Amino acid sequence: MKIGQIINKMKQDAINYHDDIQEYVCITQCTFSACLCLFFLLHIVMISILDFADYQKLNVAIWISFLQMFFSLIWYLLFRYYFSSHKKHILTAAYLNIFQVTTILELQYFFYDDFISYTVIVCIILCTSLTVIGHIRKYLSIITLICISDIIATIIKNYTYIHSYYMHMYIIDTLFIVVIAVVINICFSRLKYQDFAKKQQILYFSERDSLTGLLNRKALEYSVQKHIKNNTLCALILLDLDNFKKLNDTLGHYEGDNCLCAVANALKQLFGQNDCVSRLGGDEFVIFMPHISDIDFVTEKTNAILKNVPRKYPYETGQISITCSIGVAFSKSTQNDLYEKLYKAADTAMYQSKTSGKNAVTIYEKTFV
């Protein structure tokens, strides 16, 4: 695969796994900042104990390390307590963190190279390649900018006495660090994308009904629970197929499974992506509509179900007519037991449809649960 194709695929993966990337960056940046904070604390303690330079120079070096430790602590707190719940600008914050860390390190190395090793700077730069994934060009730009600035500063500082050979080798080594950091970032990003893909696949199957591909009870409950914070009008539609047991007993489970899949496909066509269409088991289907403008809109949807779901299955002595009985419950509640209340109300309404002749819609007697 060509480099251009790899970069384009990574850009697409960055879009597909955007939420996973944000979660990963939040965790790694939090860990990275905590480790840096601890490192600079130990660095201050060590250079204070060793005390191998004049007081003024030592004092400035300690203050620079203290400043770096302070910034690292601030970034740790931000990623730990703020960006964990506000992830919109987390990638920008991550790159700012990397830029700030490497810039201060370069300044400290430039002015006080007795107190910070270039090896430490290289190790930290390589560590940053593992903390951000998904935006290789941004990472490359920042690391390249830092390394070019380092080369320029080093040339200015050592121009009068360093041999050109060693300066050329220094430039080559610095550029090599950029290449290694970017390669690590690309390889690690691709590995993480594979993990994200497996995670999404596992999550998909854990939330799906194996026969119809609709969401299962676990996903339905989660969808209702997530809606509680919104405090907007919602509806739960409970649908039970009429004469389904007769279909199974007469034509067998294979035909029954085909019927369930056909009903599932019809429901998928009728409801949008924001609606939670699920099968709880047997011939029972539930649709949760989290954001509805008015009750009439739900009534239109239930009438469309009555129109599209019915199916006829002929056999030797006649035919079986599959219709559905529907119960609907509405709510604006924000209580934690919203799912249980909605389901119980819709179930009561659905049985009224059954007892009143089937193939009907009944709205729960109380307008709102």
Side-chain angles (χ1 to χ4, degrees):
M1 186 180 291
K2 296 180 180 179
I3 295 178
Q5 292 176 324
I6 293 175
I7 293 175
N8 288 334
K9 187 177 185 307
M10 289 181 65
K11 287 175 63 177
Q12 186 58 46
D13 287 337
I15 297 172
N16 295 338
Y17 306 123
H18 183 259
D19 293 340
D20 291 314
I21 289 173
Q22 288 184 329
E23 186 69 27
Y24 172 81
V25 169
C26 184
I27 294 171
T28 54
Q29 284 290 314
C30 186
T31 305
F32 176 66
S33 299
C35 291
L36 281 179
C37 185
L38 180 60
F39 167 78
F40 285 107
L41 175 62
L42 294 174
H43 187 255
I44 292 170
V45 173
M46 288 180 65
I47 63 176
S48 300
I49 293 173
L50 292 174
D51 191 17
F52 50 77
D54 64 86
Y55 177 78
Q56 183 177 0
K57 191 174 182 181
L58 177 65
N59 193 43
V60 173
I62 289 175
W63 274 106
I64 292 176
S65 292
F66 179 81
L67 182 66
Q68 186 69 279
M69 183 185 73
F70 174 76
F71 280 129
S72 297
L73 178 61
I74 294 298
W75 281 113
Y76 167 77
L77 294 174
L78 284 173
F79 284 109
R80 178 69 177 81
Y81 297 104
Y82 179 76
F83 288 114
S84 58
S85 56
H86 302 80
K87 294 187 172 66
K88 183 177 180 180
H89 301 294
I90 193 169
L91 289 171
T92 302
Y95 288 115
L96 285 174
N97 185 20
I98 293 172
F99 183 79
Q100 171 263 308
V101 169
T102 51
T103 300
I104 295 182
L105 281 172
E106 287 289 350
L107 289 173
Q108 190 172 1
Y109 176 73
F110 180 74
F111 291 105
Y112 300 98
D113 52 6
D114 294 337
F115 297 99
I116 192 74
S117 167
Y118 189 68
T119 304
V120 172
I121 299 175
V122 172
C123 289
I124 291 177
I125 288 175
L126 293 179
C127 286
T128 63
S129 66
L130 303 178
T131 64
V132 287
I133 57 176
H135 297 79
I136 183 62
R137 290 179 180 174
K138 290 182 181 179
Y139 179 75
L140 173 61
S141 300
I142 289 176
I143 298 302
T144 302
L145 177 63
I146 292 298
C147 290
I148 290 176
S149 300
D150 172 74
I151 291 172
I152 295 172
T154 304
I155 292 174
I156 294 172
K157 181 180 179 181
N158 304 298
Y159 181 76
T160 56
Y161 63 87
I162 193 169
H163 193 278
S164 60
Y165 169 78
Y166 295 106
M167 184 56 66
H168 292 155
M169 289 303 299
Y170 184 83
I171 294 172
I172 293 172
D173 289 346
T174 304
L175 294 177
F176 185 69
I177 291 167
V178 174
V179 173
I180 292 298
V182 171
V183 168
I184 291 173
N185 186 263
I186 292 174
C187 294
F188 194 75
S189 295
R190 296 186 69 184
L191 289 174
K192 290 305 298 181
Y193 290 151
Q194 292 176 9
D195 289 341
F196 294 155
K198 290 178 182 178
K199 174 186 172 183
Q200 286 192 359
Q201 188 178 37
I202 292 171
L203 184 64
Y204 176 86
F205 286 113
S206 69
E207 294 182 342
R208 297 284 166 171
D209 171 56
S210 58
L211 176 63
T212 62
L214 297 180
L215 296 171
N216 57 22
R217 185 186 298 272
K218 173 186 172 184
L220 172 65
E221 291 181 4
Y222 176 75
S223 180
V224 176
Q225 190 69 23
K226 188 169 65 172
H227 168 75
I228 290 175
K229 300 177 182 179
N230 295 325
N231 194 26
T232 56
L233 181 63
C234 64
L236 189 137
I237 303 170
L238 179 60
L239 181 154
D240 190 84
L241 297 183
D242 304 321
N243 306 318
F244 183 75
K245 185 177 184 302
K246 184 178 179 181
L247 174 65
N248 263 339
D249 294 342
T250 306
L251 299 179
H253 290 283
Y254 178 78
E255 200 64 52
D257 288 347
N258 287 337
C259 176
L260 292 173
C261 290
V263 172
N265 290 331
L267 294 177
K268 288 178 185 178
Q269 296 295 322
L270 288 173
F271 291 90
Q273 293 182 348
N274 293 328
D275 302 321
C276 178
V277 184
S278 59
R279 175 183 175 233
L280 303 192
D283 59 341
E284 187 177 57
F285 296 85
V286 174
I287 303 97
F288 176 65
M289 303 179 70
H291 304 287
I292 55 176
S293 55
D294 54 54
I295 294 175
D296 291 338
F297 177 73
V298 179
T299 303
E300 292 175 7
K301 287 290 186 180
T302 54
N303 289 334
I305 294 173
L306 293 179
K307 181 180 179 181
N308 287 273
V309 164
R311 278 160 175 74
K312 298 185 183 298
Y313 294 87
Y315 64 105
E316 294 179 356
T317 58
Q319 69 175 9
I320 301 170
S321 179
I322 298 295
T323 55
C324 60
S325 297
I326 299 174
V328 184
F330 296 93
S331 180
K332 287 184 178 179
S333 174
T334 58
Q335 300 178 26
N336 290 330
D337 59 348
L338 178 61
Y339 171 76
E340 289 80 6
K341 287 185 174 181
L342 275 173
Y343 181 83
K344 184 177 180 181
D347 189 56
T348 300
M350 185 271 293
Y351 273 102
Q352 291 180 8
S353 296
K354 286 278 188 186
T355 56
S356 63
K358 302 179 180 180
N359 194 30
V361 178
T362 301
I363 295 177
Y364 186 62
E365 56 187 10
K366 295 180 180 179
T367 305
F368 300 111
V369 175

